Every structure is written in structure tokens, then in C-alpha cells.
Amino acid sequence: MKLSLMITVIAGLLTSSAAFADTTIRIGHATPEVSPIHQSLLYFEKELEKRSNGDIEVEIYPGGQLGGVREMTELVQSGNITMATGASVHLSSTVNELAVLDQFLLFADEDTARNVLDGKAGESLAKAMEKQGLKSMGFMELGFRSFTNNRAPLDSYEAFEGLRMRSADNPIAIKAWRSVDAVPIALAWGEIYSSLQQNLIFGQESALSSMLVERFFEVQDYVSLTNHIYWPELWMANLEWYNDLSDKDRKLIDEVARETVLLQRDLTMKTNNETLEVLKEKGLKVNELPLADRERLGETMNAAIETDIREKVGSDFYDEFMENVTTQ
């Protein structure tokens, strides 16, 4: 949908906002209402409205009501909505520096990833976002991504050959998967289920929780624990709106936002852990990709895309970011 038409539609959706709040925060996201993202944003809504004594109202538009991630990002930049969330891979076309997160096996575990993104590396990404009119409200997470597919278990490096799989519409990600002879097909998130159902693709890669929330288990036979990449979910606000807040409101919003990010991470971890058992109960066969094959996969893919990432983010930024990663 063209941005001008989207704005017209959104204007109609938002005309019912309360007239009594001094500030109304409108948040869009693309995930279902059962997701950890939405559940944590409900906390943000409840706590912010309570602690502001009703001076701040929060309206949440889940499930892609306001468009896809890129459309919502443009709406945040233009000030037509206040905030949105989106996986980093979908935002690197807007903020080039985010492409540094497209690397594989970048973080050893969730704690390492969180420490990096909550530290100097995350600050550098936040500054890059500000150049595009976006204020980082914190790094939520989707967790480490693994695979479902209906062809065969992905139990070796060679098993990826010829795998027709969904990829984000991201040239770097597509190039990486092609380097291991997979066949990535760029599809919007909402198109994955139907494409699996119609055998247009064999498999997809996502966080474990997404496999359950999006009901991929209904059209897939195998879960392969590859843990090949960690994807944060960026929470962003319109920078001009944020800077125009009073010191009191900004402090309160920052405080509740931080609590919300921590809650979302905990919910995601809990959901991912519980999901694996549920997927087994649903009849999916689960296997782990051996460490040696996983490392080989990462080495091949990163070698294929390092030059592209350096060119996109700048070598100085790349080297500084990687130094912050390796010192954790």
C-alpha cells in the first residue's frame, strides 16, 4: 500500500483516540496478540497510564493492522504513529548500520547478545537510528532462529543444499543462504504459512516461539535446532516526538520502556523453552545440527557477506562493533 494511502487509512483508525490524555502514544507491531511482544507492550500501556495518572495514553495496533515493518517504520519517521517494533533484518534498508546484525553465529548465547546490545555496541546502533529520525526505545528479542521444514532433517551442512526456504527480503541474507546452496525465496512474514501449505517453499527459519504462534507446525514435519542467528526486535519511536517530551514524561517513558524490554526478553525465553516441548507433542521430529556443521555453516555464510556488510555499515563501524562483541 502506498504511504499516502496508508496515512489516510490510519487517520481514520486513529480518530477515536481519547481527548483527555495530554499525550497519546500509538504503537504498531506485526506480531499476534499472543506474542511476547504484544504481551509486554500491554504492560507498557498499563504501567505508563497508571504512573502518569492518565496524562499519557497508549494505543496498541497488533498483527500488522498498520502495515508491514517497513511501512510502520515510515509511519514512525513521518510522525503518523509514535512507535513500532520490527526485526533488525527488516530495518537495515532504512538504517544501514543494522546490517552488522545480519551476521551468523555472532553471539554465543542470549546473555552475550543482551550485554552487547545494552552496551556500547547498542549505543552506536541507536545513534545510527537517530540519523534516520528514529529513537531506540530498547532491544527486544525474537531469540535464536532455527528451522522447520517438510523435506528432511537438517542434520548436516550438506542438508541445506537445494532447500527452498523463505528468506526476508534482504539482499545480504539471500546472498548468505545461497552461499550454502540453499534456495532462498523472499516472502513477507504473513505469506510464510500459505507458502508452506502450498509447497511453494519447503521450510522457514524463525524463533521457536514463532513456530507455535504462527502455527507452522500444522504444515511442517521437522524442527532442526540450528541456532544460526540471533535477531533482536527493535523498538523505535519518532525522534522529534521523543525530544519534544517534557523531562518528566521522558524519564517516566524511559523507565517503563526499560522494564518492558526486560519483561519481553523473559517472556520470549520462557515461550521458546516451552515451545520445543509443545512442538514435539504436535508430532514434529526434532534434531540438533551438530556443532561442527553449524560452525562450518556460519563460516561459509559470513565469508560470503562480510564485504557487503563492511561496505554498507562502513569498515570503522564494523570493526568497532565487532570489538565490542568479542570483549563480552
Side-chain angles (χ1 to χ4, degrees), residues 51 74 83 162 185 188 194 321:
R51 296 188 209 177
E74 291 178 352
M83 297 178 178
I185 298 173
S194 60
F321 185 90

Side-chain angles (χ1 to χ4, degrees), residues 54-108:
D55 290 340
I56 301 175
E57 180 171 283
V58 178
E59 298 175 355
I60 305 171
Y61 298 85
Q65 291 181 38
L66 305 184
V69 172
R70 291 184 181 179
E71 290 168 316
M72 287 188 289
T73 302
E74 291 178 352
L75 291 169
V76 172
Q77 288 176 303
S78 64
N80 285 281
I81 61 175
T82 320
M83 297 178 178
T85 76
S88 59
V89 70
H90 298 301
L91 296 169
S92 59
S93 59
T94 301
V95 182
N96 286 341
E97 288 83 352
L98 292 174
V100 76
L101 298 171
D102 292 346
Q103 298 176 85
F104 296 80
L105 304 182
L106 184 62
F107 303 117

Side-chain angles (χ1 to χ4, degrees), residues 8 12 30 64 70 99 116 118 129 138 146 154 164 166 170 214 261:
T8 302
R70 291 184 181 179
V116 168
D118 289 345
M129 292 172 65
S146 287
L154 299 175
R164 200 161 67 239
R166 181 264 177 176
N170 178 304
E214 302 294 340
V261 168

Side-chain angles (χ1 to χ4, degrees), residues 37-51:
I37 291 169
H38 185 74
Q39 294 303 310
S40 62
L41 289 174
L42 289 177
Y43 172 88
F44 181 74
E45 175 184 23
K46 177 183 176 182
E47 289 299 311
L48 198 53
E49 291 180 352
K50 181 176 71 174
R51 296 188 209 177

Side-chain angles (χ1 to χ4, degrees), residues 9-266:
V9 173
I10 288 170
L13 284 171
L14 304 182
T15 51
S16 62
S17 62
F20 302 104
D22 294 337
T23 299
T24 300
I25 298 174
R26 301 181 178 97
I27 310 174
H29 68 86
T31 65
E33 294 184 24
V34 296
S35 70
I37 291 169
H38 185 74
Q39 294 303 310
S40 62
L41 289 174
L42 289 177
Y43 172 88
F44 181 74
E45 175 184 23
K46 177 183 176 182
E47 289 299 311
L48 198 53
E49 291 180 352
K50 181 176 71 174
R51 296 188 209 177
S52 69
N53 296 314
D55 290 340
I56 301 175
E57 180 171 283
V58 178
E59 298 175 355
I60 305 171
Y61 298 85
Q65 291 181 38
L66 305 184
V69 172
R70 291 184 181 179
E71 290 168 316
M72 287 188 289
T73 302
E74 291 178 352
L75 291 169
V76 172
Q77 288 176 303
S78 64
N80 285 281
I81 61 175
T82 320
M83 297 178 178
T85 76
S88 59
V89 70
H90 298 301
L91 296 169
S92 59
S93 59
T94 301
V95 182
N96 286 341
E97 288 83 352
L98 292 174
V100 76
L101 298 171
D102 292 346
Q103 298 176 85
F104 296 80
L105 304 182
L106 184 62
F107 303 117
D109 50 42
E110 286 89 352
D111 285 341
T112 301
R114 294 167 181 177
N115 288 337
V116 168
L117 295 175
D118 289 345
K120 292 182 179 179
E123 291 174 5
S124 65
L125 292 173
K127 289 178 182 177
M129 292 172 65
E130 291 184 4
K131 295 176 184 177
Q132 304 302 324
L134 300 169
K135 167 65 180 177
S136 173
M137 299 305 297
F139 294 91
M140 296 182 177
E141 68 182 17
L142 298 173
F144 283 94
R145 299 173 74 83
S146 287
F147 267 88
T148 63
N149 87 101
N150 54 17
R151 189 180 71 165
L154 299 175
D155 54 7
S156 69
Y157 177 95
E158 290 76 17
F160 289 86
E161 182 177 355
L163 179 68
R164 200 161 67 239
M165 56 167 284
R166 181 264 177 176
S167 171
D169 187 10
N170 178 304
I172 290 177
I174 290 171
K175 185 174 183 178
W177 287 116
R178 285 176 176 167
S179 73
V180 294
D181 296 323
V183 183
I185 298 173
L187 294 170
W189 182 256
E191 298 175 326
I192 298 176
Y193 185 96
S194 60
S195 297
L196 292 168
Q197 190 176 40
Q198 298 168 29
N199 291 319
L200 298 177
I201 54 176
F202 297 138
Q204 64 82 41
E205 43 103 26
S206 65
L208 287 173
S209 58
S210 297
M211 298 173 189
L212 190 59
V213 169
E214 302 294 340
R215 305 188 70 82
F216 294 146
F217 61 85
E218 294 179 344
V219 288
Q220 298 278 262
D221 297 324
Y222 304 99
V223 176
S224 297
L225 303 177
T226 53
N227 292 330
H228 54 275
I229 193 167
Y230 174 91
W231 273 3
E233 178 85 1
L234 275 65
W235 185 12
M236 54 198 159
N238 178 277
L239 180 62
E240 184 177 356
W241 166 85
Y242 181 84
N243 288 338
D244 286 344
L245 290 168
S246 67
D247 290 343
K248 177 183 177 183
D249 284 352
R250 189 183 303 113
K251 181 179 179 182
L252 177 60
I253 290 169
D254 285 347
E255 178 182 287
V256 181
R258 179 58 181 169
E259 294 170 9
T260 302
V261 168
L262 295 178
L263 173 63
Q264 193 275 339
R265 291 173 177 177
D266 286 345

Side-chain angles (χ1 to χ4, degrees), residues 288-302:
E288 289 190 34
L289 180 67
L291 179 60
D293 292 270
R294 188 158 63 94
E295 290 178 343
R296 183 184 171 196
L297 197 76
E299 289 170 2
T300 302
M301 297 172 83
N302 286 335

